[in-house]
Amino acid sequence: MEILKQRLEEMKWVPIHIENISGAHAGDISRFEIINQNDEKEKYIYKEFAEGRNNEIEVYKKLENYLQPFTKLVKWWESNPQAILMVDLGSPLKDDFMELPLHSKKKS
């Protein structure tokens, strides 16, 4: 969590609170909230990849121009430990996707 705080400090962001998200995922995931320049709360997810499980950044780099209109990715760090920062959508997309009928999954 210290690295997350350091990275947020570099961005001049001060989190209101930081919460670790536990579960079956490769790495450490945290949810945090900030107050933006308009005095509104914004929520973000920070994912720090486990050792050897950082291929997502390479995928984002290769597909960045195509994904930009669809993704809520804010920033990524290639320095160790590699991590991504994205807008918190409120619930895991994987959960919503799993509930879709087969034809909707194919369309997605």
Side-chain angles (χ1 to χ4, degrees):
M1 191 172 307
E2 288 305 313
I3 293 172
L4 168 58
K5 289 179 182 177
Q6 178 185 354
R7 288 174 169 174
L8 293 176
E9 189 176 296
E10 290 169 3
M11 296 172 64
K12 300 191 183 345
W13 285 10
V14 179
I16 299 170
H17 65 85
I18 300 174
E19 159 194 3
N20 285 328
I21 300 173
S22 58
H25 42 260
D28 295 318
I29 299 179
S30 300
R31 173 181 284 127
F32 67 91
E33 199 170 26
I34 64 165
I35 302 287
N36 67 17
Q37 295 172 341
N38 299 325
D39 288 330
E40 300 167 333
K41 290 182 180 180
E42 292 181 350
K43 294 181 180 181
Y44 293 90
I45 298 289
Y46 173 81
K47 181 177 182 183
E48 200 171 279
F49 300 103
E51 187 71 31
R53 297 291 302 259
N54 49 14
N55 293 332
E56 283 183 58
I57 291 177
E58 286 301 315
V59 171
Y60 282 122
K61 284 171 48 179
K62 290 177 181 174
L63 299 175
E64 179 180 16
N65 293 334
Y66 303 103
L67 292 175
Q68 196 61 34
F70 308 106
T71 186
K72 296 297 181 181
L73 185 68
V74 175
K75 183 175 177 68
W76 67 66
W77 289 268
E78 293 185 67
S79 57
N80 212 11
Q82 291 189 343
I84 58 174
L85 175 66
M86 61 194 117
V87 174
D88 184 353
L89 299 175
S91 65
L93 293 177
K94 186 176 180 181
D95 291 350
D96 293 340
F97 181 79
M98 296 307 288
E99 298 297 320
L100 294 174
L102 183 58
H103 71 279
S104 295
K105 287 180 181 177
K106 287 181 179 180
K107 187 176 179 181
S108 293

